Amino acid sequence: MYKAAPQRPKKTSIVRSRSGCQACRQRRVKCDEKKPSCRACVRRGDKCEPTTPNFDFRDGVGVAAKPRAIRGVERKTPSKELQGRVTAALDEDHQDSLMDFSTQPTQSKNPLTPESHFMDGEWLSCSPITPQSMTTTFPSPLPSQTMMRSLGRSENEMLYLMHWEQSCAQALPSFQSHILLMAEKHAPLMQALLALSACNMSRSLPEKTEGSIGTSPSQIIYRPRRDCLQASQHYYGSAINQIARIVGKATSSSVSHTLAAMVLFCYFESAMGDFAGFACHAQGVDKFINAHFTAISSNPKDRDMISAWLQAKFHAWWLRMNFSSFSFQASQGSLCLSSDITTMLRSINASRTIIMSILCESYRVSNIALLQLGPCGTQTSVITVGECVESLQTELRKLDEWHSELSQSELPIESFPGFVNRDEGHLRPLRFNSHYFAMNYAYYVCARIMQCTHLLHGLGSTGSRPDHPENQEINYWMMLLIRIVSGLDKGDCFGRNVHSIGISSLLGICLLRCQDAMIGKWIEDWVHEWDTLSVLEEGSFPIYQTRETIRLINEGKAPGNEIYAIALPEEDGGGTGKYMSYNSQCFDEVLTMGRRVSSGLLYCELVPIKVDI
């Protein structure tokens, strides 16, 4: 039989305790703990005072793990002043902490606005580039205990978490209810969240620089805020490294967190205009969903993640289609959702995802049909014009079904008929209960415009008159669209369309289908108003590119021509990314395809375009 191991000898005969007197504890000597005075105090003539135990109890909320130190980077802990400011802000916003994205934004008194940033140990005040409506902060959509957990993080992380709750969450309604709670339990997801928040802050608070080589010295050039951009790259790289180690070992409990982090990667690359990086992450998300589809489809939160992922996919596709070559546009494959995915999306009321799918597919099919009829050398395509018309009719039935399922709160508040003075351009705005519902309906109207097949049948005629059926139908939907746009707040468009198809690019695409000069002038004036707000991009797309495109379309139509499509002369893969600028492409001329109304002949010509920063 084995015997118990002999007891190891003690390293010292001293028995440590916490009940010695204060004088001995300060001198770090052993106290004999005799009463009323120990021998050491009697010998020194000191007053022997007992030690009172001081236990530091923590509440049951829990404290976030202390972040790991990075070699060469000093970690800063939150100061007492910052904690006091955050606590005061939480007390004020606690009542509104569960705000739904469908409600109107309210003014918050949170002192940590996105205009302040911590750098080099000091809080720097940055002048806002937008009016008061664009710097409005929103109450946190999560319980205040979440922010209490984050007090153990650095001040930079605190700032980006506050910016996430106040700004980023409003642009990602699918993530709004639970993403931050999930991130507190998953380090890679938290790093991905911080990366996207810092990226959003860098692009919403640009820095002014003087003209560089090749530009006028007096020209002001805007660049994304550098310190926020560097922070976003740091968090992004850290999240990528951590996800790469665990993605193949994801358990049932970590599938949701891993999927959420990978979807945030897609949003990050889409915001930066890096389509190659987006394609890499998109392929990874597809493989991950297929590998864990059973677990994902049974979890309501994971179904929300799939909805958010599809929205990111459609958004990136829309950005990529703008300013690409005709050959690229004609080679695009189907974007239709499968019946299983559609059923799953309806179960979680993901109306935004469904309407974006119908919109993108309608735009793709309509564009392919136009290019096949045009003289641009893109007649070879995977589908014929007749098949395109059938596909558009199929999408029209889906669109009618989507509209029939809308609740009363998602429909316009006012009636559709609106007063329009064609001489003065006045019209009555169409109002909705929220910006979210207004954008959904704008996507619906744009899809209707893309599905107008009369234009395809009329391209062979010798002219186009305002009373033609195709023009009447398109003009009706265009007037409805600009009524929706006139009721939108530009601050909401700037802040809430960051990760969705922007209204400005939507107007530019729809203008290619409308030949009404009054509507074109109204759209051009509306887009020019963004210049007074110093806003550089909306829907992650450069405002100035949309502005110059609309100007070019209106100028091309002035001599009596019609323009149906615009593309780059050569395919550039979507550019190189918007890491240090607000555009990812460099070009000075584009191809336009249209028709001479006088002769009825289709044409394709190269025209210069002024694209400045």
Side-chain angles (χ1 to χ4, degrees), residues 100-105 352 409-411 413 430-441 484 487-488 492 496:
D100 184 74
F101 65 85
S102 61
T103 59
Q104 294 290 344
R352 167 67 63 87
S409 61
E410 297 175 276
L411 294 172
I413 298 175
L430 203 59
R431 306 289 182 180
F432 291 81
N433 288 321
S434 71
H435 178 81
Y436 182 84
F437 294 150
M439 288 302 303
N440 282 355
Y441 214 85
I484 296 173
L488 293 176
D492 289 338
R496 300 195 175 200

Side-chain angles (χ1 to χ4, degrees), residues 216-238:
S216 173
S218 60
Q219 182 181 4
I220 300 298
I221 299 177
Y222 292 93
R223 295 285 185 262
R225 190 180 176 94
R226 184 172 301 179
D227 51 350
C228 298
L229 182 62
Q230 292 175 346
S232 70
Q233 294 296 320
H234 166 73
Y235 293 131
Y236 178 73
S238 176

Side-chain angles (χ1 to χ4, degrees), residues 105-181:
T106 56
Q107 186 73 22
S108 172
K109 300 179 181 179
N110 199 325
L112 290 179
T113 59
E115 290 78 43
S116 57
H117 186 72
F118 183 82
M119 183 178 180
D120 297 333
E122 297 180 356
W123 285 95
L124 303 180
S125 178
C126 304
S127 300
I129 62 163
T130 57
Q132 184 64 28
S133 61
M134 291 193 177
T135 57
T136 301
T137 56
F138 303 94
S140 170
L142 298 174
S144 58
Q145 291 181 354
T146 302
M147 189 59 67
M148 295 298 293
R149 294 193 192 100
S150 65
L151 289 176
R153 301 185 179 275
S154 68
E155 289 187 343
N156 276 351
E157 293 174 347
M158 276 292 304
L159 175 67
Y160 297 132
L161 287 175
M162 293 290 291
H163 181 71
W164 173 271
E165 292 193 339
Q166 295 169 357
S167 301
C168 300
Q170 307 299 324
L172 295 171
S174 298
F175 283 132
Q176 184 173 346
S177 59
H178 52 263
I179 186 66
L180 193 51
L181 290 174

Side-chain angles (χ1 to χ4, degrees), residues 203-204 271 494 530 535-543 578 582:
R203 308 197 68 78
S204 60
F494 168 73
W530 287 95
V535 174
L536 301 176
E537 61 182 7
E538 187 257 343
S540 295
F541 194 80
I543 286 290
K578 302 182 292 184
Y582 284 87

Side-chain angles (χ1 to χ4, degrees), residues 16 29 42 88 115 129 156 162 207 235 241 280 294 311 353 355 358 366 409 474 515:
R16 300 183 181 275
V29 297
V42 171
E115 290 78 43
I129 62 163
N156 276 351
M162 293 290 291
E207 297 176 333
Y235 293 131
N241 291 333
C280 178
T294 303
Q311 290 184 35
T353 307
I355 190 59
I358 299 174
S366 174
S409 61
I474 291 177
Q515 309 306 322

